[in-house]
Amino acid sequence: MDIGGCGVHFIHEPGRGPNPKPLLLVHGWPGSVYEFQQIISMLTDPAAYGGDPRDSFTVVAPSLPGYGFSDDPGGGMSARRMAQVFDELMTGVLGYKRFGAQGGDWGAAIVSSLGYDYADDLIGIHLNLVGVPMPQERRGKDLDESEKRHLAQQEHWRREEMGYRWIHATKPQTLAYALNDSPAGLAAWIAEKFRTWSDCEGDVERRFTKDQLLTNITIYWVT
């Protein structure tokens, strides 16, 4: 569906309870709408899982522009621009007066922008990534042990885990040609993030099956 000049593909699953509330689910990288497959039915039909049917949601889960099954919008796409596209999807195309939104990773930045720019259209937002560094003026003060651990974790992350981000930002075309030439290379690039960013303690299959990993990777490969 063309929304704001972007061909956006989305899942639209109606809630099965009385007066279901619309909920936008926004994925990140290297995720996809496939990540939501297990939870969609729990949100749309909570009664089937022992919950209260009054807590049901109508779920809208789009592939981000340029990701998965959505078209390449061309010319670049910021988190704030994606927020504009998704607000148009929810209020203009689907006709919801107000809706809730949830996001993690890149989706958290998009949903934060929704909250900032389109607050009147939102019931509320939920984030499972909050990128708030310690204020610079606090860093030179006496810190308690929890604050010291926080800064040490930040420094470790900056030193050991940010390489992918600099490559994406500074040499994206070089990396893109390499990953599009090798399904094994793409699988390694993506699976490493699922391993590092999940609570699997180094064994990615403690949290994800091979089918789950390969389905997500395949969405990136075939599109």
Side-chain angles (χ1 to χ4, degrees), residues 83-120:
Q84 179 184 0
V85 169
F86 290 155
D87 184 73
E88 183 178 341
L89 167 65
M90 296 298 287
T91 61
V93 176
L94 298 177
Y96 296 117
K97 291 183 179 179
R98 299 177 73 217
F99 61 96
Q102 192 281 332
D105 188 73
W106 192 222
I110 296 165
V111 170
S112 296
S113 293
L114 270 171
Y116 186 81
D117 289 331
Y118 304 97
D120 290 344

Side-chain angles (χ1 to χ4, degrees), residues 1-12 60 62-63 65 69-71 85-86 88-90 92-95:
M1 180 172 291
D2 184 69
I3 304 167
C6 305
V8 176
H9 175 278
F10 59 93
I11 296 168
H12 188 205
V60 179
S63 288
F69 302 106
S70 291
D71 291 345
V85 169
F86 290 155
E88 183 178 341
L89 167 65
M90 296 298 287
V93 176
L94 298 177

Side-chain angles (χ1 to χ4, degrees), residues 151-163 166:
L151 285 180
Q153 290 170 348
Q154 277 193 333
E155 175 57 25
H156 177 270
W157 186 267
R158 186 195 65 77
R159 186 178 63 251
E160 301 292 339
E161 300 293 343
M162 294 295 286
W166 296 118

Side-chain angles (χ1 to χ4, degrees), residues 28-178:
W29 178 89
S32 67
V33 292
Y34 175 72
E35 287 185 68
F36 303 134
Q37 289 301 309
Q38 290 177 292
I39 200 171
I40 285 175
S41 60
M42 299 179 190
L43 292 167
T44 57
D45 190 13
Y49 297 86
D52 189 332
R54 292 174 297 179
D55 292 332
S56 71
F57 294 89
T58 290
V59 173
V60 179
S63 288
L64 304 186
Y67 288 65
F69 302 106
S70 291
D71 291 345
D72 177 2
M77 178 64 68
S78 67
R80 201 165 186 179
R81 174 75 176 109
M82 287 192 194
Q84 179 184 0
V85 169
F86 290 155
D87 184 73
E88 183 178 341
L89 167 65
M90 296 298 287
T91 61
V93 176
L94 298 177
Y96 296 117
K97 291 183 179 179
R98 299 177 73 217
F99 61 96
Q102 192 281 332
D105 188 73
W106 192 222
I110 296 165
V111 170
S112 296
S113 293
L114 270 171
Y116 186 81
D117 289 331
Y118 304 97
D120 290 344
D121 295 338
L122 290 164
I123 299 168
I125 66 173
H126 178 273
L127 309 176
N128 57 291
L129 173 71
V130 182
V132 182
M134 182 179 290
Q136 192 65 39
E137 59 269 20
R138 280 289 296 134
R139 292 172 182 256
K141 306 292 184 181
D142 291 334
L143 305 178
D144 62 29
E145 289 304 312
S146 65
E147 290 173 321
K148 291 176 182 177
R149 286 196 301 273
H150 173 69
L151 285 180
Q153 290 170 348
Q154 277 193 333
E155 175 57 25
H156 177 270
W157 186 267
R158 186 195 65 77
R159 186 178 63 251
E160 301 292 339
E161 300 293 343
M162 294 295 286
Y164 82 96
R165 183 172 177 177
W166 296 118
I167 294 173
H168 283 188
T170 61
K171 297 293 185 288
Q173 285 295 90
T174 304
L175 181 65
Y177 282 118

